[in-house]
Amino acid sequence: MTTRNDNLRNIAIIAHVDHGKTTLVDHLFQQSGVIREGAQPVDRVMDSMDLERERGITISAKNCSVDWNGKKINILDTPGHADFGGEVERSLMMVDGVILLVDAAEGPLPQTRFVLKKALELRLEIIVCLNKIDRSDARPKEVLDEIYDLFIDLDANDDQIEFPVLYLIAKDGVSKKAPDDDPSDLSLLFDLILEKIPGPEYDESKPFQMLVANLDYSDYLGRLAIGKIFHGEVKGRDSLCRIGENGVPKPLKVTKLQAYHGLEVQEVESASPGDIILISGLEEVEIGDTICSVDDPVALERIYVDEPTVGMLFTVNSSPYSGREGKIVQGQKIRERLHKETLFNVGLQVQDVAGSDSFIVKGRGELQLAILIETMRREGFELSVGRPEVLYKEEDGVRKEPIEHVFIDCEEVYLGVVTEKLSLRKGRMVNMVNHGTGRVRVEFSIPSRGLIGYRSQFLTDTRGTGLMNSYLEGFEKYRGDFPSRTTGSLVADRMGDAVAYGLFNLEPRGRLFIVPGDPVYEGLIIGEHSRDRDLNVNPCKTKKLTNVRASGKDENVQLTPITKPTLEEAIEFIREDEMIEVTPESIRIRKTHLKAEDRRDRL
């Protein structure tokens, strides 16, 4: 007999990047009493990683809970970027409803579509919240129509389209039932969650069953399995078993049972159906495994994480400056760190390259891999990484590649150059909307490899005014080759320190990446050549000293100011025969083969 746990609600908050999701969670905490009155306010309290705070994005899904009118509400804060889509998919398996947060000016954007599609497939209850209605360019009526169109486009049924709507100003912690109503606090949203989102359903006759939807790792407790209890109850120290993909039950002993209380994880004596819990005491566990009663082991329907689409080579740093700036340089340490990452970041896969200290790391996108590299760099690692390569699939002897659906919003005058560049990269325009405001919205279907290295070019072409977002559409037949970069590299031909005089004479050759005093070595890329071939140059060249004095001969050299490439810019810039040297202090771009004669042999 099925019944519902009415004392509990499990919800996920889904939104596109920068639509106010984490800000809303902050105010939900404050108004529910999780953050005590008078305490020092902390912005974006759920963004606990330094990188999340610096970049203003949510990278990993996190759980928390609040109490409202005697009922517990588990809230899952999910990432808003498609590269971390694996986090979102697993989070939705643990909830019974979602809050869809949409910017009242920008409307539903690609990641909104990606996550909403998953929620509709799981038949979750949906509450739509239009945020930032105080913006001068807010257009809540038009955006609501766009949301209805999106639901219809995603084949939502009649019940799903009849969703409740609230209007929010998340940064002020206020909500309204209509745009012109007087503002109220977020109690409207809390009450709507209790009214519209059902409690978790379970069968009283079934023994304990929990589906592992996420993993974590603790240096003290080992592997942690995170998931929702579907049926039955569990107590600390219970004897349970784990059923993996092979269907064979393996016994385990719970060493610690934890649940979410506010922002913290606390040990609990027992947990009931619908609770989201953490179980420690597992030596092996994977996403999709079932943890159940040892007396009646029955597996739940397994969940699968979408496969990775991009791979990148990680290897030890082999440059002449290896070991000068980083504490950890050994291949074995890099291997241990990468495999530890896969314990709680299941969107990543690591494959060893036979006979070398190199590894292929596979993920959902360039940003996900860049976050991993930046994290390792801050931990003191020193390593080299190669150009991202898309992962192909073979089906019936046909090579298939990942295809992205790209949404572009730009000024009308730049539409021509954007279309031209994407067409060269095998992109196809599938839709265009022009509201007559001077900006156009266009959609393209393009291979994933076509977007590698294009983002910075897009910002240059649109003078920094363009917006580009994408999500993985699926796999299609290989669309053919195209050039990845139309410019060459300026490559240093010797070791030394860069000199202003030498760099001044190289400025006409292209765009420089280094400044006077920077250490260089043979094979280091010091700039982008303005032509389509590489050029070996001497950035250490000094002015010849003579005893002749003449007017105008001894003027100071004035160099054009430069901005050194960030990690993401370097990843977009490099070609197949180039790598990035990553240390705690520097990001350097180099040739894979440093010696000029080695590179000549390979032309």
Side-chain angles (χ1 to χ4, degrees), residues 340-368:
K340 182 178 178 181
E341 184 74 18
T342 61
L343 295 179
F344 51 86
N345 189 345
V346 295
L348 289 176
Q349 297 177 11
V350 177
Q351 174 185 328
D352 289 12
V353 177
S356 68
D357 283 328
S358 301
F359 321 93
I360 302 292
V361 181
K362 302 174 182 178
R364 296 283 284 270
E366 299 162 68
L367 179 60
Q368 186 185 25

Side-chain angles (χ1 to χ4, degrees), residues 390-460:
V390 299
L391 304 175
Y392 300 103
K393 288 192 340 188
E394 287 279 343
E395 289 185 7
D396 301 325
V398 177
R399 180 160 68 150
K400 294 194 171 183
E401 65 176 339
I403 302 293
E404 304 271 345
H405 196 99
V406 181
F407 293 75
I408 286 176
D409 185 318
C410 67
E411 292 183 22
E412 204 169 339
V413 292
Y414 303 130
L415 179 61
V417 67
V418 169
T419 305
E420 179 189 357
K421 296 286 177 66
L422 289 178
S423 298
L424 289 173
R425 294 166 175 260
K426 304 297 181 183
R428 300 169 185 163
M429 185 186 293
V430 294
N431 191 24
M432 183 174 78
V433 178
N434 189 342
H435 292 297
T437 59
R439 294 183 73 88
V440 290
R441 282 194 175 188
V442 285
E443 299 174 33
F444 287 86
S445 169
I446 186 171
S448 296
R449 60 195 167 96
L451 293 181
I452 295 175
Y454 175 67
R455 209 166 293 270
S456 57
Q457 194 175 358
F458 169 74
L459 290 173
T460 302

Side-chain angles (χ1 to χ4, degrees), residues 106-355:
E106 295 181 3
L109 289 176
Q111 181 68 5
T112 314
R113 181 190 186 95
F114 171 81
V115 186
L116 179 61
K117 183 172 184 290
K118 300 282 183 186
L120 292 173
E121 288 171 355
L122 293 169
R123 296 283 185 262
L124 300 177
E125 292 290 334
I126 295 171
I127 296 173
V128 172
C129 293
L130 294 183
N131 191 24
K132 306 185 184 181
I133 58 170
D134 57 332
R135 281 180 58 162
S136 58
D137 56 347
R139 46 188 188 96
K141 186 175 182 300
E142 293 87 341
V143 167
L144 187 57
D145 289 340
E146 290 175 14
I147 295 172
Y148 279 117
D149 291 341
L150 179 58
F151 271 70
I152 293 167
D153 194 31
L154 294 175
D155 297 325
N157 60 37
D158 292 345
D159 291 337
Q160 290 172 325
I161 291 177
E162 294 298 321
F163 50 78
V165 182
L166 279 182
Y167 299 85
L168 308 181
I169 307 174
K171 66 183 176 65
D172 296 336
V174 301
S175 59
K176 307 178 183 182
K177 288 187 176 179
D180 299 329
D181 286 0
D182 292 332
S184 170
D185 59 15
L186 293 177
S187 58
L188 288 176
L189 179 56
F190 280 120
D191 293 340
L192 196 58
I193 290 171
L194 297 183
E195 178 189 346
K196 294 294 183 181
I197 306 298
E201 190 178 62
Y202 66 98
D203 191 332
E204 293 177 329
S205 62
K206 289 187 176 180
F208 171 73
Q209 284 180 304
M210 164 188 161
L211 185 66
V212 178
N214 213 341
L215 301 175
D216 206 341
Y217 183 82
S218 164
D219 290 330
Y220 304 101
L221 300 172
R223 280 195 165 186
L224 301 173
I226 304 171
K228 183 176 86 168
I229 300 176
F230 276 70
H231 308 288
E233 294 189 354
V234 64
K235 292 185 171 63
R237 306 287 176 181
D238 272 1
S239 293
L240 305 172
C241 69
R242 175 185 69 86
I243 303 177
E245 196 166 8
N246 58 8
V248 179
K250 291 189 176 180
L252 67 94
K253 180 86 172 177
V254 179
T255 57
K256 199 168 190 180
L257 182 66
Q258 297 170 294
Y260 294 96
H261 288 275
L263 294 168
E264 299 176 349
V265 175
Q266 296 180 1
E267 187 172 3
V268 293
E269 290 296 321
S270 62
S272 53
D275 274 335
I276 296 174
I277 60 171
L278 299 86
I279 288 181
S280 55
L282 307 95
E283 292 181 7
E284 295 180 11
V285 64
E286 294 179 358
I287 298 292
D289 288 359
T290 299
I291 297 176
C292 54
S293 167
V294 73
D295 300 324
D296 189 8
V298 179
L300 293 163
E301 184 180 349
R302 193 172 182 85
I303 59 170
Y304 292 92
V305 179
D306 282 359
E307 57 196 305
T309 57
V310 174
M312 188 185 281
L313 179 73
F314 282 52
T315 185
V316 295
N317 183 14
S318 58
S319 87
Y321 295 147
S322 174
R324 292 191 182 184
E325 298 175 355
K327 296 181 294 185
I328 311 170
V329 297
Q330 305 95 328
Q332 183 60 35
K333 294 289 187 184
I334 295 172
R335 175 188 283 108
E336 289 173 4
R337 176 63 180 83
L338 292 174
H339 282 286
K340 182 178 178 181
E341 184 74 18
T342 61
L343 295 179
F344 51 86
N345 189 345
V346 295
L348 289 176
Q349 297 177 11
V350 177
Q351 174 185 328
D352 289 12
V353 177

